[in-house]
Amino acid sequence: MEVRAVQQESGVRIGGSVLGKDDFLRLLVTQLRNQNPLKPMDDREFIAQLAQFSALEQMHNVSQAVQELRWRQEAATAVQLVGRRVTVQKPDGTAEEGVVAGVRRREDRFVLLVGGEEYTLDQLVEVAG
């Protein structure tokens, strides 16, 4: 049985479903349990499936590490802006200039407090020298 998979953010997409590494391992174990004892799985096929599982796990670990690095970088950038004069873009497209009074964490993002309003780092236009 051959399974073609495509790497996604949270797992592997097979058909219309997304499978994580635990699902992939359960699928492999189920396949081993239900194989015909008179015609066991070919060693090369089994090793290839284990290699796929290992590659999936490594991609998942790298993805988590990159997300953690992004989060830490964003936190460091936001904290370094406290007390600095900045220009931010308001939702209506106009610019506001002010001093960053603080930083807050909102869900997985950091927001700058400028003039009593919250702005994401994406809304940062300029930092005064």
Side-chain angles (χ1 to χ4, degrees), residues 25-38:
L25 187 57
R26 274 194 293 272
L27 181 65
L28 183 62
V29 169
T30 301
Q31 184 179 355
L32 287 172
R33 280 187 187 148
N34 295 314
Q35 70 179 336
N36 181 347
L38 300 176

Side-chain angles (χ1 to χ4, degrees), residues 64-84:
Q64 284 183 320
V66 168
Q67 289 290 64
E68 178 69 19
L69 181 60
R70 183 199 61 80
W71 186 84
R72 288 178 185 262
Q73 179 64 38
E74 189 172 307
T77 299
V79 168
Q80 289 176 352
L81 292 171
V82 173
R84 306 270 315 259

Side-chain angles (χ1 to χ4, degrees), residues 40-108:
M41 184 186 301
D42 180 44
D43 288 345
R44 284 177 274 165
E45 183 181 345
F46 181 69
I47 290 170
Q49 288 185 355
L50 285 178
Q52 283 180 325
F53 175 73
S54 178
L56 172 64
E57 186 173 25
Q58 290 301 318
M59 284 187 280
H60 178 73
N61 293 343
V62 168
S63 176
Q64 284 183 320
V66 168
Q67 289 290 64
E68 178 69 19
L69 181 60
R70 183 199 61 80
W71 186 84
R72 288 178 185 262
Q73 179 64 38
E74 189 172 307
T77 299
V79 168
Q80 289 176 352
L81 292 171
V82 173
R84 306 270 315 259
R85 179 165 288 288
V86 297
T87 303
V88 290
Q89 185 174 8
K90 297 173 111 179
D92 66 5
T94 62
E96 178 171 334
E97 191 176 306
V99 175
V100 178
V103 174
R104 286 193 184 133
R105 183 175 176 189
R106 292 278 184 241
E107 296 172 16
D108 260 0

